[in-house]
Amino acid sequence: MTRLGRRTLLGTIGAGPLVATAGCLEFFESDDPTRRFGPDELEPILAMDVPTVARPAPVQPGENAVTDAVGRLEELIAAVPDPLGADDVPNEAVRHDIDRAREIARHRRDALAGAMDGFHRMRRSIHARRYAGEAAVAFEAVTDDRSLNDVETEREAVTARLEQRRSGITHRGTDLQRTLLLGAHRESELATAGRWLGNRPRHGTNGALVVGELGGAVEQARAAMAFSDELERRHEARLTDARSFESQFETALERSLDAIDAAAVPDRSTDLFESVDADISGTIAERVLHEGAIALSRASEQTVNKAADGETAAALRTACAFERDRRAFERIRKQVEDGTHRTLETVDDVRDVRESAVEIAADVPFSPDEPSLGGDLLADGYNRLEQLDGQIRDLLHRDWETSLEHEYALYVVIGAQLEAVPDGVSAFDGRLEE
């Protein structure tokens, strides 16, 4: 473990992630009637189109690697009979869970067609293969073709290989930010796969579904390693006059952790009411302030945790997001003090904050296609707008009323974060390049 990994977590993020504050609890428990909106009222919120944007790829995998990854996914899906009947799996509960996992894998397989390039197809296939592997291996367990001992042995072997890959990541390149983003993607996918390998099976300790869960985790780990190895191979092949950024990255991360130590990051003990010189009791401003504080707290916690786990590049990426989020929170705080976000009375209020966020995104001086921290954070903002729009579309199809408070607050936070991207990146770049 590096000197960054040994750094203690205590005292860096206070009492832990911000879940709710005293002031926010008053907000959530308010007796005042909340305006409710029916599904037929929501369509105007989405009137302004938002472009579909993918995070910039630091390097593209080879076509054969992408084909192999998708082909393996197809193979696993096809390993389960369709339809899956009682003759195939007599136990109804087991049959239902295998079907569920296979359908999730199919849905994610179909979604790969919408991926903008090979990098995103291969990356998205990793998680699809976990579900496909879970279904296929559980079915093999039902038919006695795979035992718990078999899959436990596989898990031990793949865990050792995964840890070897994680410890062997180096940060070499000719372009600092491209190298950082490459390392962040590799570290994150391998770390996620490692967590799934270490998870306790949700179905107990025995049976076909447990075997399937473990098999799915093994499949995800294999996919993540193939993705990481392919990116490394392609990156190394294009390098000329490469140099190591290891020392530079570790120094920048130390400075980032010091900045988090020195910042007033909200935690469970923070009373957000004290951070604004205004009476916001009973207004939507409480929710907006709370969501901004959650984003800031999450960025600080992720940076510290990733640094402790030795994920240097991934921690640097979230450290840059922290610089964005601390500035976004200050913008939100000032907006609230200036009297903004006091009422949510019509869907036009939600539409306005959404359209403001979309307009801000269009003015951010980075390209989402550019393999840089600025391009990555801009793409992240667009992705979260798309996800929130998806929640609105889901509400359109539901036959009950909603307050839209959550959606309003998140549109405000995303807009503030997008506005803060240039200054946040500038501050972080200075630390990274010193």
Side-chain angles (χ1 to χ4, degrees):
M1 182 179 290
T2 67
R3 57 196 172 95
L4 295 170
R6 291 192 294 268
R7 188 183 180 112
T8 179
L9 304 187
L10 298 177
T12 307
I13 53 174
L18 182 75
V19 176
T21 67
C24 289
L25 286 174
E26 290 177 12
F27 167 62
F28 292 127
E29 295 174 0
S30 172
D31 292 330
D32 294 336
T34 301
R35 171 76 163 89
R36 310 290 290 182
F37 302 92
D40 57 332
E41 298 179 79
L42 306 183
E43 193 167 349
I45 295 172
L46 304 178
M48 179 181 285
D49 291 337
V50 178
T52 299
V53 172
R55 288 178 62 184
V59 64
Q60 288 293 338
E63 185 177 340
N64 288 342
V66 178
T67 299
D68 289 347
V70 177
R72 175 59 177 167
L73 173 60
E74 298 280 9
E75 177 185 328
L76 291 165
I77 292 172
V80 180
D82 184 21
L84 188 64
D87 289 342
D88 301 305
V89 182
N91 185 299
E92 183 178 1
V94 172
R95 186 168 67 250
H96 175 270
D97 267 43
I98 293 175
D99 243 341
R100 177 197 60 82
R102 192 255 309 272
E103 287 308 307
I104 293 173
R106 275 179 169 168
H107 176 75
R108 295 194 173 205
R109 184 270 318 275
D110 294 344
L112 295 181
M116 301 182 76
D117 55 31
F119 173 87
H120 290 94
R121 281 194 296 278
M122 191 171 185
R123 179 170 176 261
R124 293 181 189 179
S125 74
I126 296 172
H127 304 282
R129 282 170 64 179
R130 172 165 58 84
Y131 287 103
E134 183 175 327
V137 175
F139 181 68
E140 288 182 342
V142 170
T143 57
D144 294 327
D145 291 327
R146 191 83 70 97
S147 70
L148 181 59
N149 184 64
D150 291 336
V151 78
E152 284 283 18
T153 300
E154 292 172 8
R155 180 167 70 160
E156 289 177 9
V158 81
T159 297
R161 293 203 304 274
L162 186 77
E163 288 307 310
Q164 192 174 45
R165 295 297 205 289
R166 292 184 67 189
S167 63
I169 290 179
T170 59
H171 303 110
R172 296 176 63 256
T174 54
D175 180 274
L176 186 151
Q177 296 208 4
R178 184 190 294 271
T179 304
L180 192 157
L181 290 180
L182 172 67
H185 279 293
R186 294 178 65 204
E187 289 170 356
S188 293
E189 291 299 340
L190 293 176
T192 299
R195 286 192 292 273
W196 279 100
L197 282 171
N199 282 351
R200 179 188 297 272
R202 64 184 184 277
H203 289 106
T205 59
N206 206 346
L209 296 181
V210 172
V211 176
E213 280 187 70
L214 297 177
V218 168
E219 187 63 36
Q220 177 173 353
R222 288 171 174 160
M225 286 190 289
F227 177 69
S228 176
D229 290 351
E230 174 65 7
L231 294 188
E232 179 184 35
R233 184 184 70 80
R234 296 282 288 187
H235 177 68
E236 291 285 344
R238 65 190 297 277
L239 292 182
T240 56
D241 194 25
R243 67 186 184 92
S244 172
F245 293 109
E246 299 290 348
S247 177
Q248 196 167 346
F249 283 2
E250 287 209 1
T251 299
L253 187 50
E254 284 283 10
R255 290 170 178 155
S256 296
L257 294 172
D258 288 342
I260 291 174
D261 284 341
V265 181
D267 61 28
R268 291 189 184 98
S269 65
T270 304
D271 185 349
L272 293 180
F273 279 171
E274 294 182 358
S275 69
V276 293
D277 185 17
D279 180 9
I280 60 173
S281 178
T283 70
I284 187 64
E286 293 185 45
R287 184 63 175 263
V288 172
L289 199 64
H290 178 68
E291 294 294 347
I294 286 176
L296 178 58
S297 176
R298 182 185 299 120
S300 68
E301 182 185 19
Q302 288 178 342
T303 303
V304 172
N305 289 344
K306 289 178 184 296
D309 288 341
E311 299 170 46
T312 303
L316 284 171
R317 195 270 178 194
T318 56
C320 188
F322 172 80
E323 293 301 330
R324 173 201 65 189
D325 292 350
R326 70 192 296 191
R327 288 162 174 78
F329 182 69
E330 179 59 20
R331 280 174 167 79
I332 291 169
R333 193 192 65 77
K334 292 190 70 170
Q335 288 174 355
V336 169
E337 280 193 340
D338 291 343
T340 311
H341 312 307
R342 291 299 191 269
T343 61
L344 173 52
E345 296 179 350
T346 72
V347 293
D348 289 344
D349 296 324
V350 184
R351 183 199 63 198
D352 289 346
V353 293
R354 176 186 181 270
E355 292 186 354
S356 175
V358 176
E359 290 166 355
I360 290 168
D363 290 335
V364 175
F366 295 103
S367 167
D369 298 324
E370 154 191 346
S372 67
L373 289 165
D376 195 61
L377 291 181
L378 174 57
D380 176 67
Y382 273 117
N383 288 344
R384 286 185 298 116
L385 280 172
E386 183 179 11
Q387 291 167 7
L388 194 50
D389 287 353
Q391 293 178 30
I392 297 288
R393 291 187 185 95
D394 287 344
L395 291 171
L396 276 164
H397 295 97
R398 294 177 183 173
D399 194 22
W400 64 75
E401 295 182 338
T402 182
S403 71
L404 289 177
E405 289 173 346
H406 175 69
E407 291 76 16
Y408 178 98
L410 289 185
Y411 280 129
V412 172
V413 171
I414 294 170
Q417 289 173 327
L418 284 163
E419 189 174 2
V421 165
D423 287 345
V425 169
S426 178
F428 182 79
D429 279 353
R431 184 183 306 151
L432 185 63
E433 295 174 359
E434 285 179 3

